[in-house]
Amino acid sequence: MQHAHWISRSLFVCLPFFLAANLGAQSLIRFTDATKSAGLSEPLAGLMGHGGAWGDFDGDGRIDLFVGGFCDRPNAEYLPAKGPVPYRFFRNLGGGRFEWIKGAPAEIFSRTSGAVFADLDNDGTLDLYVANNAKMPGKAKPKNEIEPQASSKFRHNQLFRNSGGKFTDISASSGACPESLFTARNIGVFDYDNDGLLDLFVVEDKFTPKPRSVLLRNLGGMKFKDVTVEVGLPEDIFGLGLAVADLNGDGRPDFFVGDSNRIFLSQPGNRYRESLELRELFAWKPLHREDWACGAAFGDLNRDGRLDLVLSIHCETARNKVFLNDGVKDGVPQFRDVTKEVGLGDAVPVKCPHVEIQDFDNDGWPDICLSAAWRDGDIITPLIFRNTGMKDGLPRFVPPRPVRAPMVYFPCGPSGDFDNDGRLDLFLINWFAGNHSRLLRNESEPRPWLQVRVTGKQMNRMGIGAQVRLFAAGQLGKTGALLGFQEIGTGYGYASGQPALAHFGLGTATKVDIEIRFPNGKTLQRIGVTADQLLNISEQ
């Protein structure tokens, strides 16, 4: 039996009779658990999941799924599986069904802590990069552990090249998976030097001596070079999650690293500098040793054409943060903490590792999704703070119910429209015995929507870094007519990979005007674009 569950626009008393009496009067987000019907329950049973990504690897127009987890625990921790569950890889067959693919890159035991699909050689197919949390050298393999647990501790990052839908492990030859990198977490995918090739920024956590996140320049031919020092980045960057966007308007990506909470701004000459001006604003004062800022996401929460920042916290008392972007001054984006004022001031009583800014109800206002939830029997209600629009100059958010225990959490939860109906679904990746990973199908009331995908020619083929602005029809560029603003990317939040496109809810609009800004500063406009479609834009 499938169960539907709802997230209401306004805070409500969580009683069944109240819901039944108000379904017609309230605007709702509704999810149905589609895990079993999609064919995912059995192959994911027992997975101690920690990283996953959506991506259309075979080019059939349907997003496919990769999932990985930690395989170094005792067998009993993976029940109902008999032991560790390795990488899992699924092809989207359409009709709500997935096929379990057992060839490469599946069936590998590791300590996976992140994954992204990305076209790293501009051949039109998505390659796969997997971040693995390997142990430091000198750790001897335990004599009393079977091979999967032991081998998983020593598996470094992996890069799989996609050739016509078949994957080949090129980790060793590519230079993208240095053995000097151990406790990897998030993967940033962006073109830092605007040469048309996507580079990789791999975040290493602090749980290793002398942590060192690295920027890997794409040299072409699936070869990469460590240019961290060369571009002016310090060698002591550690972190968990990552957010990437052009914040200073120079057409090149800037990025924020969660946990160390440091923001790095692009500079002339393809270099970077840390914004020391913002260090105090983002400084984290932990409650205890396991209170860490974790996930990070940029998004335009108030539809003013500037990208705001949301941080999610990896702590049982998660004091998540919202920062509004007030524009650029002397080359530095000016953020201010508005967490309490916009409705996220109360701590969440469970960890919230992952965060995304997406419009889940297609009402035109982006919501804030955290990888925490309520579990009522076998029904999962994700913690999505719904954007109710502007009040007194600030966006306002409400949770689906009072934010109090008991709650559960998932390490990550990438969004993606797996059934191509214009509503963003969620895949919540489970870590704990007694629960399981969940594919949640979004079955909210249909509203107009638009998805925009950019194919680059001078820029990278995936269109990562292109900025998309939507205006009311007939009002392109006019003050007050902006309906949404996004920069296309993937790998934001924590341990998650998303489809590289911009998803917009349109509320009641059925036509919009669009402006695309490419990293080289050139723009492209489309007038009177109709709703309810995936719009493919090619760079001119």
Side-chain angles (χ1 to χ4, degrees):
M1 178 180 179
Q2 291 184 329
H3 300 277
H5 38 292
W6 297 268
I7 299 178
S8 170
R9 173 171 292 281
S10 56
L11 202 61
F12 59 87
V13 178
C14 184
L15 295 173
F17 72 86
F18 184 93
L19 281 174
N22 287 273
L23 287 180
Q26 297 191 34
S27 175
L28 305 172
I29 296 176
R30 181 172 63 198
F31 288 99
T32 296
D33 191 331
T35 316
K36 185 176 181 180
S37 64
L40 298 176
S41 295
E42 182 179 349
L44 290 173
L47 175 78
M48 188 174 285
H50 201 284
W54 291 110
D56 180 8
F57 84 92
D58 55 5
D60 65 357
R62 298 184 292 263
I63 55 173
D64 310 296
L65 181 63
F66 172 86
V67 192
F70 278 40
C71 297
D72 60 333
R73 270 45 173 186
N75 286 342
E77 295 192 24
Y78 298 95
L79 293 175
K82 295 181 180 179
V85 181
Y87 291 172
R88 290 292 193 242
F89 192 33
F90 302 95
R91 176 185 282 111
N92 188 338
L93 300 176
R97 296 285 300 177
F98 287 80
E99 173 191 13
W100 177 13
I101 301 176
K102 298 185 180 182
E107 307 307 303
I108 295 172
F109 295 93
S110 68
R111 285 166 45 93
T112 300
S113 193
V116 289
F117 284 99
D119 185 358
L120 298 174
D121 52 3
N122 284 336
D123 69 349
T125 62
L126 296 178
D127 311 297
L128 175 65
Y129 192 94
V130 182
N132 289 321
N133 201 260
K135 295 291 188 180
M136 286 295 294
K139 298 280 186 179
K141 293 185 178 182
K143 296 181 180 180
N144 62 343
E145 281 196 307
I146 62 174
E147 191 275 335
Q149 279 95 336
S151 66
S152 68
K153 295 180 181 179
F154 297 88
R155 191 173 307 283
H156 291 264
N157 298 348
Q158 290 185 284
L159 174 59
F160 298 90
R161 183 174 192 168
N162 183 351
S163 298
K166 295 184 178 180
F167 286 90
T168 303
D169 187 342
I170 60 168
S171 307
S173 63
S174 67
C177 306
E179 293 197 357
S180 59
L181 190 67
F182 285 89
T183 55
R185 295 287 179 171
N186 225 78
I187 310 113
V189 181
F190 52 86
D191 184 2
Y192 87 92
D193 54 359
N194 280 350
D195 66 352
L197 297 170
L198 287 171
D199 311 299
L200 298 169
F201 183 75
V202 184
V203 178
E204 190 172 50
D205 67 34
K206 61 187 173 187
F207 308 112
T208 185
K210 298 182 179 180
R212 180 178 180 266
S213 302
V214 296
L215 178 61
L216 301 167
R217 186 189 178 200
N218 190 337
L219 303 176
M222 295 297 275
K223 301 291 184 180
F224 292 81
K225 175 187 176 183
D226 185 344
V227 294
T228 310
V229 175
E230 180 180 322
V231 302
L233 291 171
E235 294 190 81
D236 63 346
I237 304 172
F238 67 85
L240 294 170
L242 185 72
V244 180
D246 177 12
L247 301 174
N248 57 12
D250 67 353
R252 293 179 50 235
D254 312 296
F255 57 93
F256 180 96
V257 182
D259 192 14
S260 58
N261 283 13
R262 300 165 74 179
I263 193 165
F264 297 91
L265 301 176
S266 55
Q267 302 295 300
N270 296 328
R271 294 181 61 81
Y272 280 91
R273 77 168 182 88
E274 181 179 359
S275 177
L276 300 178
E277 304 92 333
L278 296 173
R279 179 172 283 188
E280 182 177 352
L281 175 67
F282 296 130
W284 190 250
K285 298 179 181 178
L287 299 175
H288 47 71
R289 293 182 63 184
E290 294 191 2
D291 183 6
W292 315 316
C294 186
F298 289 120
D300 186 0
L301 297 172
N302 54 358
R303 302 197 322 197
D304 65 352
R306 296 188 286 259
L307 294 171
D308 311 303
L309 175 65
V310 178
L311 302 186
S312 57
I313 309 303
H314 194 286
C315 180
E316 289 82 359
T317 306
R319 298 168 294 151
N320 304 295
K321 291 291 184 179
V322 180
F323 298 91
L324 284 188
N325 185 342
D326 288 331
V328 178
K329 181 180 179 181
D330 298 327
V332 178
Q334 305 297 300
F335 289 95
R336 58 187 166 109
D337 186 343
V338 295
T339 307
K340 182 177 180 180
E341 294 87 340
V342 302
L344 273 75
D346 294 334
V348 179
V350 70
K351 296 177 181 178
C352 298
H354 177 60
V355 59
E356 294 199 15
I357 300 172
Q358 301 281 15
D359 188 354
F360 287 93
D361 58 355
N362 285 343
D363 69 347
W365 293 96
D367 312 302
I368 297 173
C369 179
L370 300 168
S371 59
W374 290 269
R375 183 180 177 186
D376 302 299
D378 201 40
I379 300 175
I380 294 293
T381 303
L383 176 54
I384 298 179
F385 284 89
R386 296 202 52 195
N387 190 332
T388 62
M390 299 291 289
K391 182 180 179 181
D392 299 329
L394 292 173
R396 303 304 170 107
F397 297 86
V398 294
R401 61 173 80 169
V403 180
R404 63 172 67 109
M407 297 180 72
V408 297
Y409 82 91
F410 298 83
C412 56
S415 67
D417 182 7
F418 82 89
D419 53 1
N420 290 339
D421 68 351
R423 292 170 289 192
L424 288 177
D425 312 299
L426 284 173
F427 184 70
L428 300 179
I429 299 176
N430 175 65
W431 173 271
F432 296 102
N435 198 358
H436 60 84
S437 297
R438 312 274 180 153
L439 177 62
L440 300 183
R441 178 189 287 120
N442 189 338
E443 296 188 350
S444 306
E445 174 187 353
R447 287 191 178 91
W449 55 274
L450 185 70
Q451 294 173 355
V452 181
R453 178 182 290 133
V454 173
T455 300
K457 292 184 178 179
Q458 297 181 35
M459 68 178 301
N460 64 88
R461 184 164 178 150
M462 284 184 78
I464 289 178
Q467 295 184 338
V468 185
R469 289 173 172 82
L470 260 62
F471 295 87
Q475 301 185 56
L476 182 69
K478 293 184 179 179
T479 302
L482 186 68
L483 299 180
F485 169 48
Q486 293 185 40
E487 182 169 315
I488 292 176
T490 186
Y492 43 84
Y494 176 60
S496 301
Q498 304 83 0
L501 54 77
H503 173 94
F504 296 94
L506 302 183
T508 60
T510 56
K511 286 189 177 182
V512 294
D513 295 344
I514 299 177
E515 182 177 82
I516 313 290
R517 182 181 186 274
F518 302 101
N520 62 10
K522 294 182 179 179
T523 61
L524 182 151
Q525 298 175 350
R526 291 287 184 269
I527 306 300
V529 175
T530 57
D532 299 339
Q533 65 166 311
L534 170 59
L535 181 67
N536 289 294
I537 297 289
S538 294
E539 182 183 13
Q540 302 300 309

